[in-house]
């Protein structure tokens, strides 16, 4: 018993030394961002040599447009939930991403769309899966959150709900693009897997912190090329592809959904951050941890969870924003279409690994 107690005391002392001590530094911590936003447009095996300057410019412009849409909402004092919707809608409307227009085809040659959204204030959430007639699935997911007693609706039922709530019925040809159809045809002709034709997971997402200190997350996708039997990935699953909690963080994921579901990626990252804070609340009441340390912690937990995904055989990435306003990226692939903006003046988009400011560097 004494050995166990001593071990516990040592562990607690280590935690305090690592996380509480920086709060006692004489130098005041820098001012934290008043609002923060991060977006992604998919992660995967991206070949820099195959990316033409024209194609890169096209993706960067689309990412910047989404980033600007969300940042505008936050800069004008709008809510985090409205900001993530604004950013995701831009990407759903772009044929460059696997969400909304430009979604991949199922084995049967249709486009089935999934989306989810979560508000960190009250952890209210909404999600839809397998819808075929809704132009912007993220808006339907939010309507499920705000105008129903449910969290997730699927297929024909979700579409009937959409019509009841005034959504226009979007014809299937709106979503179809030649590049996505060619990918399906190549997959069938050469008996390839979805990973052979989808070099990146084009799921889109956004996470935000608003001026009121509230967090939100949103994710939208067309799934995987050639998916069958009503397959659903992590994007519409609260806790796997999307999660937001004012006490810890907001997360949106992109990647091989089956593995993200098994790990519970989005919730797992937030849970680790919240547990760490709860320990300090008990052991170091009244002490504030240096924001720089909090940023490093968030990066560490995100990287650790993504390493768990990789160990199981999955790949992809996540974006997250903390209550302190730090925008974090973590991916175990060669690249992730991504961007972030803060009230402190950060505004950047990137595609390949090693580009942009390191996530663990304070954004001010």
């Amino acid at each position: 018993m004494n050995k166990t107690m001593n071990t516990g005391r040592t562990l607690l002392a280590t935690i305090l030394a690592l996380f509480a001590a920086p709060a006692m530094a004489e130098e005041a911590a820098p001012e934290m961002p008043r609002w923060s936003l991060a977006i992604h447009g998919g992660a995967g095996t991206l070949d820099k040599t195959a990316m033409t300057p024209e194609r890169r410019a096209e993706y960067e412009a689309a990412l910047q447009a989404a980033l600007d849409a969300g940042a505008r909402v936050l800069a004008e004092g709008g809510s985090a939930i409205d900001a993530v919707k604004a950013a995701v809608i831009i990407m759903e409307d772009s044929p460059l991403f696997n969400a909304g227009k430009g979604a991949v085809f199922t084995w049967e040659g249709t486009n089935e769309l999934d989306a989810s959204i979560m508000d960190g204030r009250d952890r209210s959430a909404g999600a839809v899966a397998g819808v075929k007639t809704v132009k912007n699935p993220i808006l339907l997911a939010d309507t499920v959150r705000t105008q129903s007693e449910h969290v997730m609706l699927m297929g024909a039922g979700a579409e009937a709900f959409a019509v009841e709530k005034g959504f226009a019925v979007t014809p299937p040809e709106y979503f179809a693009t030649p590049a996505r159809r060619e990918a399906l045809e190549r997959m069938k002709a050469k008996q390839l897997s979805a990973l052979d034709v989808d070099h990146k997971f084009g799921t889109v997402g956004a996470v935000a912190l608003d001026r009121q200190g509230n967090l939100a997350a949103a994710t939208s996708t067309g799934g995987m090329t050639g998916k069958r039997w009503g397959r659903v990935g992590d994007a519409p699953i609260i806790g796997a592809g999307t999660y937001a909690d004012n006490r810890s963080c907001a997360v949106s994921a992109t990647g091989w959904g089956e593995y993200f579901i098994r790990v519970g990626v989005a919730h797992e990252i937030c849970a680790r951050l919240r547990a760490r804070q709860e320990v300090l609340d008990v052991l170091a009441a009244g002490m504030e941890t240096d924001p720089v340390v909090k940023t490093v912690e968030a990066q560490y937990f995100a990287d650790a969870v993504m390493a768990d995904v990789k160990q199981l055989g999955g790949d992809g990435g996540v974006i997250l924003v903390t209550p302190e306003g730090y925008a974090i990226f973590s991916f175990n692939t060669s690249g992730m279409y991504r961007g972030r903006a803060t009230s402190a003046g950060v505004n950047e988009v990137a595609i390949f690994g090693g580009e942009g400011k390191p996530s663990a560097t304070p954004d001010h």
Side-chain angles (χ1 to χ4, degrees):
M1 177 65 73
N2 288 337
K3 182 178 181 180
T4 301
M5 292 178 65
N6 288 335
T7 300
R9 291 192 184 98
T10 300
L11 176 59
L12 297 181
T14 301
I15 292 173
L16 283 172
L18 286 174
F19 299 137
M24 293 179 275
E26 293 182 4
E27 183 178 349
E31 182 183 356
M32 296 180 292
R34 291 171 294 168
W35 59 261
S36 186
L37 173 72
I39 64 170
H40 70 75
T45 305
L46 307 178
D47 184 358
K48 185 178 290 189
T49 62
M51 177 72 76
T52 65
E54 295 77 15
R55 189 66 167 168
R56 181 179 184 122
E58 194 176 11
Y59 270 106
E60 288 178 342
L63 289 168
Q64 190 65 59
L67 196 62
D68 289 346
R72 190 177 305 114
V73 172
L74 296 170
E76 294 175 354
S79 69
I81 202 79
D82 286 340
V84 296
K85 285 189 293 183
V88 168
I89 286 170
I90 296 295
M91 292 185 282
E92 286 182 333
D93 289 347
S94 170
L96 294 176
F97 304 105
N98 176 20
K101 186 176 183 64
V104 299
F105 283 90
T106 67
W107 186 263
E108 292 77 18
T110 60
N111 306 106
E112 294 183 357
L113 313 172
D114 309 327
S116 62
I117 190 166
M118 189 167 185
D119 190 331
R121 290 176 294 186
D122 56 4
R123 283 176 283 169
S124 60
V128 293
V131 298
K132 302 177 182 179
T133 63
V134 180
K135 179 183 178 183
N136 293 112
I138 198 64
L139 292 181
L140 182 57
D142 196 48
T143 304
V144 172
R145 180 184 72 88
T146 60
Q147 299 184 39
S148 83
E149 63 271 34
H150 307 299
V151 169
M152 179 182 283
L153 300 179
M154 62 177 287
E159 291 172 352
F161 174 79
V163 171
E164 184 177 309
K165 296 302 179 182
F167 282 75
V169 175
T170 304
E173 54 266 26
Y174 168 80
F175 303 102
T177 59
R180 300 301 193 187
R181 191 176 296 280
E182 185 276 332
L184 176 64
E185 292 170 352
R186 180 158 43 94
M187 177 184 186
K188 289 184 174 182
K190 298 183 178 181
Q191 296 184 331
L192 302 173
S193 73
L195 297 180
D196 291 321
V197 296
D198 292 335
H199 297 296
K200 76 177 182 72
F201 303 96
T203 297
V204 306
V207 291
L209 169 76
D210 62 31
R211 290 175 181 270
Q212 291 71 48
N214 296 313
L215 296 167
T219 312
S220 182
T221 190
M224 300 182 80
T225 297
K227 62 183 181 180
R228 307 175 75 175
W229 309 298
R231 180 265 184 188
V232 175
D234 65 302
I237 298 178
I238 300 301
T242 303
Y243 201 76
D245 184 344
N246 278 7
R247 299 172 298 176
S248 54
C249 65
V251 177
S252 175
T254 173
W256 195 339
E258 281 71 13
Y259 293 94
F260 281 67
I261 294 170
R262 288 163 61 184
V263 174
V265 166
H267 180 266
E268 180 70 11
I269 293 171
C270 289
R272 293 189 187 194
L273 282 167
R274 188 178 74 247
R276 171 261 172 215
Q277 187 58 53
E278 289 175 349
V279 168
L280 283 186
D281 286 345
V282 172
L283 299 178
M287 297 177 67
E288 288 292 332
T289 305
D290 190 316
V292 175
V293 174
K294 288 187 176 182
T295 310
V296 174
E297 291 169 11
Q299 186 72 60
Y300 171 80
F301 289 132
D303 290 345
V305 173
M306 287 309 303
D308 193 15
V309 171
K310 187 172 185 177
Q311 191 276 328
L312 291 178
D315 54 4
V318 296
I319 56 174
L320 69 97
V321 167
T322 70
E324 295 76 36
Y326 296 115
I328 306 296
F329 305 122
S330 181
F331 49 97
N332 59 21
T333 55
S334 60
M336 181 168 72
Y337 294 84
R338 61 198 187 276
R340 61 179 176 170
T342 76
S343 58
V346 172
N347 190 307
E348 62 180 13
V349 296
I351 297 176
F352 298 99
E355 295 179 345
K357 195 177 183 180
S359 289
T361 301
D363 298 335
H364 42 271

